[in-house]
Amino acid sequence: MSLLLITVFLTGVTLVLGAYVVAKLLGPRSYAPMKGEAYECGIPTRGSSWLPLSVGYYLFAILFLMFDIETVLLYPWAVSVHHFGVWALATIGGFLFVLVLGLAYAWKKGALEWE
């Protein structure tokens, strides 16, 4: 078993390093000073390009990921529910209850309001 893991790990490292070397050898090179500039559709920027984003974007993204991942976790349960019977139904009921509580909390706090 450990020989298999070592082989998989070494194969992964070899493929990543090989792709990196091939890209360095065959890829185009440009040493122009404009290469380091931020791409802004050809229009020169005024001031700093690093503007702070509203925390609402981050909160919305975290909520989306949280509910998306929890939804993905329902698929393995749906496949194996017939093996476990009523216990699986009670477990997923508790899971969905906690999920709905989290959604209600986020909704009450105004995290889903886009301003």
Side-chain angles (χ1 to χ4, degrees):
M1 182 68 176
S2 67
L3 181 62
L4 178 65
L5 289 175
I6 292 171
T7 304
V8 168
F9 179 74
L10 289 177
T11 301
V13 169
T14 303
L15 288 173
V16 168
L17 289 177
Y20 180 74
V21 168
V22 168
K24 280 293 188 184
L25 292 176
L26 300 179
R29 291 176 189 83
S30 173
Y31 300 106
M34 290 296 289
K35 183 173 179 160
E37 294 291 321
Y39 179 69
E40 294 287 338
C41 302
I43 302 171
T45 59
R46 290 185 215 152
S48 175
S49 297
W50 294 97
L51 299 175
L53 293 177
S54 171
V55 73
Y57 291 110
Y58 299 111
L59 185 59
F60 198 80
I62 288 172
L63 285 172
F64 173 76
L65 287 174
M66 182 178 71
F67 289 113
D68 190 46
I69 290 171
E70 288 174 347
T71 303
V72 168
L73 290 176
L74 290 176
Y75 288 116
W77 171 82
V79 169
S80 63
V81 70
H82 65 277
H83 293 295
F84 299 108
V86 176
W87 176 250
L89 189 60
T91 305
I92 203 63
F95 177 76
L96 289 175
F97 179 71
V98 171
L99 182 65
V100 169
L101 280 179
L103 179 62
Y105 178 77
W107 200 335
K108 183 179 180 207
K109 289 292 186 178
L112 303 177
E113 299 291 326
W114 198 262
E115 296 175 3

